[in-house]
Amino acid sequence: MSNLATTIAAHDKRHALRPWTNFEAFEADPQLVITQGEGAWLEDIEGKSYLDAVGGLWCTNIGLGREEMADAIADQVRQLAFSSTFVDMTNTPAALLAAKIAEKAPGDLNRVHFTTGGSTAVDSAYRMVQFYQSSMGRPEKCHVIARDNGYHGSTFASMSIGNKPGDRAPEFHYLSETIHHISAPYPYRVGAGMDEAAFTQWLVDEFEAKIAEVGADKVGAFFAEPIMGAGGVIVPPEGYLKAMWEVCQRHDILFVADEVVTAWGRLGHWFASLDEFGVQPDIICSAKGLSSGYLPIGAMIYSDRIHDAISADTSRWYTSGFTYSGHPVCCAAALKNIEIMEREDLLTHVNEVGPYFEAQLATLADLPTVGEVRGRKLMMCIENVADKASRTLHPDEVNIGKRISDKAEELGLIVRPIGPLNIMSPPLIITRADVDTIVDRLGRAIEMVHRDLAQ
C-alpha cells in the first residue's frame, strides 16, 4: 500500500464506525478506499478500477461523474445553499421537485413530504399512518403489518418494520407492540413445494389470519417492497401483490409501497407498484435513485385522499419533519437527475438491457454453488448453497457470499454480499458489454471459491 493509502486506512480504523460493521472483520480486513467514479466504474486509492455492479447502494442510477450534475449542485449552492421548509416557508427547487414527483407518481399520489433518505421516508410513512387513522377518528388503528426478511431502513421505526434476521442485533431494542410480521413471498424458501397459485393463496390466507388476530379495527397499514431488496431480491409470485392490496381494500388498510429501491428506473418505470405489479398504493416511500446518490434526499409520497383527511380540521399541526426536508441543493440535484433520465430515455434503456442481464446471469445457474439466480431487470441476486438438490446452506462460518465478493473484487468487480447472497443493482446506464463483464467476472469468482472449498 502507498503511504497515503496506509494513512487513510489507519484513520478509518481508528475513528470511523461504518454502517453494518462486524468488529472482527473491521479489524482484520483491509479497507477498499474509493477515490474516483465515472459512469459505472470506480477507482480505488491505488488506481485499480472496478465495475460497480451494486450501483453504490442501489442508487447511482445515472452513473457517476456527471458534469451537469456538478454544475447544477454548484449553481444552487451559490444561489441558495439552505433554506428551512418548516411551517410557512419553502424554496423554488423544493416546490418544483414536489410537482415533478407528483407528475411521475401513480394515481392521486400528488402530495410529497421530503425526507433525508429512504429510512426517514419509511419512518415518516409509519407516522403518517397513525396521523391519518387518528384524523379519521380511529386512533386505535395504529398497528402495521410487514413481512419477514423485509428491509425498510435503519431508523428505530423503519428497522422495527423490517424483519431481516441478520439485521436484528440482540444489543438493540425494537418496536413490537404495534408492528407485526408475516411470511415473505419467497418461492425458493418459504414456498418450496407449492405451485405459484397455491403459494399466493397461502400467503393471502396468512395475511387475513394475522389481520383477524390483531383485529381489523386496529390494523392501519401494510408495508411492502414490490421486490424485496436487501432481504434477497425476492420477486413475489404472480398476482401476490394485487391480492394483498385487495385484502387491504376490504379492511380499510393503507397499502404502503416501499419503493426506495424500485422507484426511479430500476425496473424500467418511474415507480414499479402500478406499472410492474398493477397495485395503486396509498403511500410510496422513495429515495436512492431520486438523486442517483449525488446528494441525500428521500420522499414520502401520499394520496390526495389522505391529505384531505388530515387537513380537514385546519387547527391540526403535522409535527413531523427534518431540518433538511426540501433542502434546496438536494432538490436541485434531484430535478437535474430526473431531467437527465427523461432526456436520455433511461427507462427504455433499462427495459432493453434489463432482460439481457437476467438472461446472461441465468447462465451461472449451473455452477455448483449456485442455488438460484433471481430478480428482475437491474435488480438481481444469486443465492449460494452447499447442496443444490436440498437447497441446504453453507455453515455461517464459510461466509460464502463474502468469499465470492472478495474474489470478484480481486477481479475488478464489486458485488454485494449478504449472508449466502450476492446482490447486483448496477447503474441504469450499463451496456450489454458491461453485463458480459459482470457475468464473466462473477462466474470466475464463484468457480474460484468452489475450488477453494473443495480442497
Side-chain angles (χ1 to χ4, degrees), residues 48-102:
K48 181 178 177 179
S49 293
Y50 306 82
L51 178 52
D52 181 14
V54 186
L57 206 61
W58 319 88
C59 63
T60 58
N61 291 11
I62 63 169
L64 299 174
R66 296 263 191 169
E67 288 292 335
E68 60 183 309
M69 287 294 291
D71 290 342
I73 291 166
D75 289 347
Q76 185 59 49
V77 169
R78 295 186 185 98
Q79 182 174 347
L80 180 66
F82 178 79
S83 178
S84 169
T85 58
F86 274 46
V87 189
D88 62 349
M89 293 182 68
T90 190
N91 59 73
T92 301
L96 292 176
L97 181 58
K100 176 59 75 170
I101 291 172

Side-chain angles (χ1 to χ4, degrees), residues 200-201 204 207 239-248 250 279:
T200 296
Q201 189 59 54
V204 171
F207 187 31
Y240 161 82
L241 281 173
K242 188 67 175 291
M244 298 293 271
W245 176 84
E246 289 169 350
V247 172
C248 291
R250 287 198 297 274
V279 171

Side-chain angles (χ1 to χ4, degrees), residues 13-293:
K13 284 190 180 292
R14 176 67 179 86
H15 301 292
L17 177 61
R18 291 186 246 126
W20 268 254
T21 290
N22 172 263
F23 295 106
E24 180 182 10
F26 181 75
E27 293 300 327
D29 293 349
Q31 294 97 325
L32 178 59
V33 181
I34 300 299
T35 57
Q36 283 187 231
E38 184 72 25
W41 291 82
L42 302 173
E43 185 176 300
D44 71 15
I45 198 167
E46 303 285 9
K48 181 178 177 179
S49 293
Y50 306 82
L51 178 52
D52 181 14
V54 186
L57 206 61
W58 319 88
C59 63
T60 58
N61 291 11
I62 63 169
L64 299 174
R66 296 263 191 169
E67 288 292 335
E68 60 183 309
M69 287 294 291
D71 290 342
I73 291 166
D75 289 347
Q76 185 59 49
V77 169
R78 295 186 185 98
Q79 182 174 347
L80 180 66
F82 178 79
S83 178
S84 169
T85 58
F86 274 46
V87 189
D88 62 349
M89 293 182 68
T90 190
N91 59 73
T92 301
L96 292 176
L97 181 58
K100 176 59 75 170
I101 291 172
E103 172 194 316
K104 301 298 186 186
D108 68 339
L109 271 68
N110 294 312
R111 303 289 179 160
V112 179
H113 176 72
F114 286 117
T115 69
T116 55
S119 298
T120 46
V122 172
D123 199 288
S124 296
Y126 177 68
R127 300 200 71 192
M128 177 59 80
V129 170
Q130 298 174 345
F131 199 89
Y132 166 75
Q133 298 293 4
S134 290
S135 297
M136 294 293 288
R138 304 183 294 239
E140 72 286 349
K141 202 171 170 68
C142 60
H143 292 242
V144 304
I145 297 174
R147 284 95 55 87
D148 296 333
N149 248 58
Y151 179 79
H152 295 284
S154 59
T155 63
F156 184 39
S158 62
M159 183 64 84
S160 298
I161 295 169
N163 197 31
K164 190 158 75 72
D167 294 340
R168 288 277 178 148
E171 294 82 3
F172 285 128
H173 299 276
Y174 304 91
L175 291 167
S176 58
E177 289 186 6
T178 59
I179 297 175
H180 313 272
H181 295 94
I182 53 179
S183 299
Y186 192 174
Y188 185 68
R189 293 286 173 192
V190 181
M194 283 186 267
D195 65 34
E196 196 166 59
F199 184 40
T200 296
Q201 189 59 54
W202 183 86
L203 291 163
V204 171
D205 290 345
E206 183 193 32
F207 187 31
E208 288 273 21
K210 179 61 70 174
I211 294 169
E213 175 190 328
V214 177
D217 59 337
K218 293 181 180 177
V219 178
F222 172 58
F223 280 72
E225 304 158 87
I227 293 178
M228 299 176 77
V233 188
I234 298 169
V235 180
E238 185 70 28
Y240 161 82
L241 281 173
K242 188 67 175 291
M244 298 293 271
W245 176 84
E246 289 169 350
V247 172
C248 291
Q249 294 294 295
R250 287 198 297 274
H251 295 289
D252 200 10
I253 294 170
L254 296 178
F255 191 105
V256 182
D258 180 348
E259 291 218 40
V260 171
V261 172
T262 56
W264 306 110
R266 185 141 304 279
L267 297 181
H269 312 285
W270 294 110
F271 295 92
S273 294
L274 184 61
D275 289 343
E276 190 82 4
F277 296 101
V279 171
Q280 174 60 57
D282 299 288
I283 298 174
I284 289 179
C285 303
S286 81
K288 295 191 183 292
L290 177 55
S291 69
S292 286

Side-chain angles (χ1 to χ4, degrees), residues 384-422:
N384 301 285
V385 295
D387 181 77
K388 293 167 77 81
S390 66
R391 306 183 182 183
T392 304
L393 293 171
H394 290 274
D396 289 345
E397 57 268 22
V398 172
N399 210 0
I400 185 71
K402 179 67 161 55
R403 282 193 184 211
I404 290 170
S405 72
D406 285 347
K407 291 295 185 183
E409 191 177 301
E410 292 175 13
L411 297 171
L413 174 69
I414 295 178
V415 295
R416 186 181 180 193
I418 300 180
L421 312 175
N422 290 114

